[in-house]
Amino acid sequence: MAQYHLNTPLTGEEIAALRLDDIVYLSGDLYVMMYPAHFTRIMDMKRRGEAPPMDLQGAAIYHTGTVFRRLEGGGYDFRGIGATTSSKFNEYTPAFIQAAGIRAIIGKGGMDQPSLEAMRKWGCVYLAVAGGCSALYTEKVETIVQEYWPQKSWADNMLRLRVRDYGPLFVSMDAHGGSLYSVDPLQESKRREAVYARLGLPIP
Amino acid sequence: MEKLEKERLKQAVKEVWIRSLVCIPPDVLRALEEARAAESSPRAQKYLDILLENARCAKEKNCFICQDSGLPGFFLRCSLGFPYDGSLREAFDEALRELTAGEFPMRPMAVDPLTREDRCDNTGVNVPVLHIELEPGLDYMEITAVPKGAGSGFWGSLCFLPPSAGASGVKKFVVDTVLRAGSNPCPPLIVGVGIGGTMEETARLATVAASRPLDQPQPRSDLAALEQELKEALNLSGIGPMGAGGDTSVLAVHIACSAAHKPWLPVAVNINCWPGRRAVCRLYADGRIEHLE
């Protein structure tokens, strides 16, 4: 298990070198994507042949909610960040990896088999943060570089963050088909069998 | 007796709410430390170390344990004689609104369930959720804050089993609910199980069970045995901290019961993520606020 300090944008070679259980610290820009609309809006623009307002080639996106206040006279008071559940975005992910050219997805809880397959095919990794750990990760955020598509609630905006040594990020799905999550139905049923057996429940 | 001012109640609500977001309950912290000592997977050990470090860091810096401050919910206990006769709804709404607006900025999370209309202040119709229990003789109002994060709250479930399903039916429903949630709700989990009652009571019981302190024993011996059995079984699932594998999938399984209708065996499961966020304070008639561990 190795440790890497990487800068964005990420290259295919850098991503290919990462294996399960490696630890990564990222510096550069992270794109905050918290809601399905962030994915569908970018995909819709690409389908229409329009360029989205952010360059996602080699980018790291982050399934995260943030807490911040805009300061009078500019700048931000940045108060919180942490992963949201990545499985909410399973259905948007394979096509998005291909179309946007992203190289890393940061989140928690892992993603499904089609997402893993897209990561292998297009050279992308899933980097897990420890969930519910805003206090530790917030200090690695330097500032908000840009807010995209302002909504009624500031919490709904897509963001570009500038970070320094953001981590620890755990390589939990790599670009070679490896995953720490039970994307394998057989593995899933073995887990269930162990639990059922302990409780004396009939195993289906 | 002189009436309590709304501003004093709001102050208590604000203080207990912030504490619930910043300080991990000491019993949960101890359970995490014990789990860390017993954990055999190096990866899981690493995750548990980070969770513990985050808990210390949040308390020290008075900042969020988790960025999702959740849908606000409170359990209140007081006597009918408690000297506050204003609107509880107004006091709680204003407290959350003023915190969100700047006193302690939070992500606004409460929206209309269908239109998704957002007041952007962490209030909405019947939110903050308030549960009020009357108890004669109390000379204070006890306020328990239970923030419910999206990641864990999403996986809650309720069903009506036939009585013939018995304890095995309950066990199966509980473990199926937790296995379905898998890596998603930020394990290791505190699993609250409500058994019996009417539908809304079953759900309330599950929530009460999930917020029972981990060092407070289950008074019914048969339920204590069932809690232990479910905990041991779920820790064989291999889900592990953050779903990345390990021995520690749940910190506790807690059960609360009410009587049920004869042809029913209702069961509800409410899942709490690892910080087990909760805070309790007492507001006395003279306006004094006492924070409990």
Side-chain angles (χ1 to χ4, degrees):
Chain A
M1 136 173 78
Q3 192 162 305
Y4 294 88
H5 290 261
L6 300 176
N7 295 298
T8 64
L10 299 156
T11 68
E13 292 72 40
E14 284 169 325
I15 294 309
L18 300 177
R19 301 284 164 166
L20 291 184
D21 283 324
D22 286 347
I23 289 177
V24 174
Y25 292 83
L26 278 181
S27 295
D29 291 353
L30 306 180
Y31 291 89
V32 168
M33 300 185 72
M34 175 71 190
Y35 295 105
H38 295 153
F39 293 85
T40 53
R41 189 159 181 170
I42 292 169
M43 290 300 281
D44 287 347
M45 291 185 80
K46 287 194 171 281
R47 261 191 292 275
R48 289 195 300 263
E50 299 164 19
M54 67 291 286
D55 180 13
L56 293 171
Q57 200 66 43
I61 67 164
Y62 192 174
H63 301 149
T64 178
T66 55
V67 189
F68 61 87
R69 276 191 304 181
R70 297 182 192 110
L71 298 173
E72 280 175 43
Y76 294 92
D77 171 16
F78 194 83
R79 292 181 164 238
I81 189 167
T84 192
T85 311
S86 296
S87 63
K88 289 184 286 192
F89 311 112
N90 278 338
E91 64 180 290
Y92 311 104
T93 296
F96 192 80
I97 291 174
Q98 180 184 1
I102 58 169
R103 293 283 182 196
I105 297 171
I106 306 169
K108 67 141 177 112
M111 305 196 75
D112 64 1
Q113 185 70 44
S115 301
L116 181 64
E117 179 54 25
M119 289 178 203
R120 191 191 59 76
K121 196 163 177 187
W122 305 105
C124 179
V125 288
Y126 181 80
L127 304 172
V129 306
C133 289
S134 177
L136 284 184
Y137 287 92
T138 299
E139 58 191 30
K140 313 287 181 74
V141 177
E142 291 187 336
T143 189
I144 297 170
V145 181
Q146 202 172 344
E147 292 183 67
Y148 302 98
W149 302 315
Q151 304 293 306
K152 181 183 172 195
S153 168
W154 54 267
D156 292 348
N157 299 346
M158 189 174 157
L159 308 176
R160 175 152 64 112
L161 303 179
R162 179 73 36 84
V163 299
R164 184 189 293 268
D165 279 327
Y166 195 88
L169 302 169
F170 298 85
V171 178
S172 302
M173 298 167 78
D174 66 23
H176 310 284
S179 173
L180 297 184
Y181 307 100
S182 65
V183 288
D184 173 7
L186 191 69
Q187 191 189 342
E188 188 74 17
S189 71
K190 279 189 176 147
R191 281 182 171 183
R192 191 174 300 270
E193 277 174 25
V195 175
Y196 276 30
R198 173 67 182 77
L199 295 169
L201 297 172
I203 291 161
Chain B
M1 196 189 294
E2 210 170 313
K3 298 288 182 201
L4 260 177
E5 297 290 332
K6 181 173 74 177
E7 288 306 313
R8 200 59 199 151
L9 173 57
K10 280 167 60 180
Q11 184 61 30
V13 173
K14 288 176 184 178
E15 287 180 15
V16 75
W17 180 249
I18 292 173
R19 278 191 79 230
S20 75
L21 300 177
V22 167
C23 298
I24 289 188
D27 51 293
V28 177
L29 214 46
R30 275 195 296 276
L32 284 164
E33 282 163 357
E34 283 164 24
R36 169 63 180 84
E39 177 62 59
S40 68
S41 149
R43 191 191 300 135
Q45 289 171 357
K46 204 172 292 171
Y47 268 124
L48 290 169
D49 284 340
I50 294 177
L51 305 186
L52 285 163
E53 194 187 338
N54 183 68
R56 280 187 287 272
C57 181
K59 190 174 180 181
E60 194 183 298
K61 294 183 182 167
N62 194 43
C63 63
F64 294 108
I65 299 160
C66 175
Q67 79 289 348
D68 179 4
S69 42
L71 198 69
F74 296 89
F75 284 81
L76 314 181
R77 284 197 314 137
C78 65
S79 73
L80 272 178
F82 189 74
Y84 179 77
D85 60 4
S87 159
L88 286 172
R89 170 61 51 207
E90 202 175 287
F92 278 76
D93 278 8
E94 286 179 15
L96 266 292
R97 194 172 291 140
E98 288 167 16
L99 288 176
T100 308
E103 290 176 31
F104 195 82
M106 298 176 283
R107 294 175 63 74
M109 301 315 292
V111 295
D112 182 276
L114 289 174
T115 66
R116 313 310 286 182
E117 185 66 27
D118 189 346
R119 288 183 191 167
C120 299
D121 63 3
N122 277 306
T123 76
V125 177
N126 295 323
V127 169
V129 177
L130 302 178
H131 298 274
I132 300 147
E133 192 183 332
L134 293 174
E135 197 169 313
L138 294 187
D139 64 343
Y140 52 80
M141 176 188 275
E142 188 171 278
I143 307 172
T144 303
V146 281
K148 195 65 190 171
S152 60
F154 184 81
W155 301 95
S157 193
L158 186 149
C159 78
F160 276 72
L161 296 170
S164 59
S168 320
V170 171
K171 290 180 203 174
K172 186 172 179 326
F173 182 70
V174 172
V175 298
D176 283 353
T177 302
V178 175
L179 290 171
R180 183 174 62 94
S183 59
N184 293 295
C186 279
L189 309 174
I190 298 164
V191 181
V193 182
I195 310 175
T198 47
M199 195 160 98
E200 82 285 2
E201 170 68 359
T202 320
R204 190 193 67 87
L205 288 170
T207 309
V208 167
S211 54
R212 187 181 101 209
L214 273 63
D215 52 6
Q216 186 179 304
Q218 162 67 254
R220 256 178 74 169
S221 61
D222 57 336
L223 297 183
L226 188 53
E227 288 181 351
Q228 187 60 26
E229 195 185 353
L230 283 165
K231 178 184 167 179
E232 286 172 17
L234 285 167
N235 280 334
L236 295 175
S237 68
I239 293 170
M242 293 301 139
D247 310 319
T248 316
S249 300
V250 300
L251 294 176
V253 178
H254 286 171
I255 301 173
C257 274
S258 290
H261 203 308
K262 263 199 176 160
W264 294 351
L265 175 45
V267 190
V269 176
N270 191 344
I271 289 174
N272 272 358
C273 45
W274 70 268
R277 292 184 297 185
R278 110 179 88 81
V280 189
C281 79
R282 288 176 180 169
L283 172 63
Y284 289 87
D286 62 3
R288 188 163 50 91
I289 300 165
E290 178 192 10
H291 291 282
L292 309 188
E293 272 286 272

